[in-house]
């Protein structure tokens, strides 16, 4: 299986901050990477697909970059709704696999 | 607007079979563009991909669970189902159904249902 590793596991930040979450794959996955946001008690929500494509309806403060084995999710100016857990998921190889998650907390 | 809704028992005894159904509304499960997936999330943990089914009945199962998993589809009811047999406490999790785009990402999720394995 492709192992996905996110860093950091927890990130403390304030409203208005710019934050970046990293996701690394243990083998190349081209650009076949998605990012999801999960609020407590809710299902994940798709934010980004194919590494850098913003899902319809997702605010433009979210952006994704990367290819190969290293990817980033950036939130340009944190809003109160953004404090949640974020997961990356590769879809280059079966079984599709997720990172362990990054919890974004209010500082 | 596509919606997915999981249903099934919230409590299953050890060694028995976990059975869940996902009902799809607002779209056809027979679309050639999507495949229908089960995932789970252990309490306080990350997400695990269980497997998928295409409307034709073609399936893929995660090798880690393959010996215990069956996913089926009922196109007449716009539903697909998960059976996981010989469950243990390690199978306690929130189970999600999802619609995966043919590219490979999940654009619609069910709300999730907690299944607890306990006697």
């Amino acid at each position: 299986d492709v192992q996905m590793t996110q860093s950091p596991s927890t990130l403390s930040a304030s409203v208005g901050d710019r934050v970046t979450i990293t996701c690394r794959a243990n083998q190349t996955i081209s650009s076949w990477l998605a990012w999801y946001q999960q609020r407590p008690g809710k299902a994940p929500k798709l934010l980004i697909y194919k590494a850098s494509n913003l899902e319809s309806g997702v605010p433009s403060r979210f952006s994704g970059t990367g290819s190969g084995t290293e990817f980033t999710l950036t939130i340009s100016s944190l809003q109160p709704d953004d404090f949640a857990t974020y997961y990356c998921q590769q879809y280059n190889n079966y079984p599709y696999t997720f990172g362990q998650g990054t919890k974004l907390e209010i500082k | 607007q596509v919606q997915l809704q999981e249903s099934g028992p919230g409590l299953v005894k050890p060694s028995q079979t976990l059975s869940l159904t996902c009902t799809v509304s607002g779209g056809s499960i027979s679309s050639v563009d999507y495949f229908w997936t089960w995932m789970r999330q252990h309490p306080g943990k990350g997400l695990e991909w269980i497997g998928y089914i295409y409307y034709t009945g073609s399936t893929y199962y995660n090798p880690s669970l393959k010996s215990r998993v069956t996913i089926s589809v009922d196109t007449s009811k716009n539903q697909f189902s998960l059976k996981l047999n010989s469950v243990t406490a390690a199978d306690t999790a929130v189970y999600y159904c999802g619609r995966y785009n043919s590219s490979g990402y999940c654009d619609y999720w069910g709300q999730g249902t907690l299944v607890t394995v306990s006697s």
Side-chain angles (χ1 to χ4, degrees):
Chain A
D1 298 4
V2 178
Q3 301 300 317
M4 307 299 293
T5 304
Q6 291 181 230
S7 60
S9 295
T10 306
L11 180 56
S12 296
S14 302
V15 172
D17 284 355
R18 178 185 179 90
V19 298
T20 297
I21 298 168
T22 297
C23 176
R24 290 185 175 87
N26 69 347
Q27 62 188 83
T28 184
I29 58 169
S30 186
S31 296
W32 303 119
L33 185 101
W35 288 97
Y36 302 91
Q37 175 194 66
Q38 186 177 35
R39 297 193 176 101
K42 301 295 186 183
K45 172 190 169 184
L46 177 67
L47 299 175
I48 302 276
Y49 61 93
K50 206 177 177 186
S52 61
N53 292 270
L54 197 66
E55 172 70 348
S56 175
V58 174
S60 59
R61 62 181 180 274
F62 291 91
S63 63
T65 63
S67 66
T69 62
E70 187 157 336
F71 303 85
T72 61
L73 173 70
T74 298
I75 310 172
S76 61
S77 178
L78 277 173
Q79 299 302 302
D81 270 353
D82 300 339
F83 292 95
T85 300
Y86 293 84
Y87 293 94
C88 60
Q89 177 230 313
Q90 67 82 20
Y91 51 101
N92 187 67
N93 293 87
Y94 289 128
Y96 295 167
T97 47
F98 293 86
Q100 83 280 13
T102 294
K103 185 175 182 180
L104 183 51
E105 296 180 330
I106 301 174
K107 185 183 286 185
Chain B
Q1 174 79 349
V2 173
Q3 292 186 315
L4 293 87
Q5 177 70 57
E6 303 91 350
S7 59
L11 181 63
V12 181
K13 290 181 167 46
S15 80
Q16 294 192 343
T17 297
L18 178 160
S19 297
L20 295 173
T21 295
C22 183
T23 301
V24 180
S25 59
S28 174
I29 204 168
S30 299
S31 170
V32 299
D33 295 323
Y34 305 106
F35 51 104
W36 307 92
T37 305
W38 287 99
M39 295 160 283
R40 68 182 183 178
Q41 186 170 34
H42 294 101
K45 302 293 185 184
L47 293 150
E48 180 181 25
W49 218 65
I50 298 172
Y52 74 74
I53 191 161
Y54 198 51
Y55 78 98
T56 57
S58 173
T59 56
Y60 173 86
Y61 302 136
N62 190 325
S64 67
L65 295 167
K66 186 176 182 178
S67 63
R68 299 194 291 131
V69 171
T70 303
I71 299 176
S72 58
V73 66
D74 186 335
T75 55
S76 68
K77 295 181 179 179
N78 231 32
Q79 295 176 334
F80 62 107
S81 298
L82 169 71
K83 290 189 186 300
L84 180 66
N85 58 35
S86 304
V87 297
T88 70
D91 295 308
T92 293
V94 175
Y95 285 76
Y96 293 101
C97 59
R99 187 184 87 167
Y100 265 69
N101 183 289
S102 57
S103 295
Y105 54 87
C106 189
D107 56 3
Y108 286 96
W109 296 69
Q111 65 184 26
T113 187
L114 174 63
V115 179
T116 301
V117 178
S118 174
S119 55

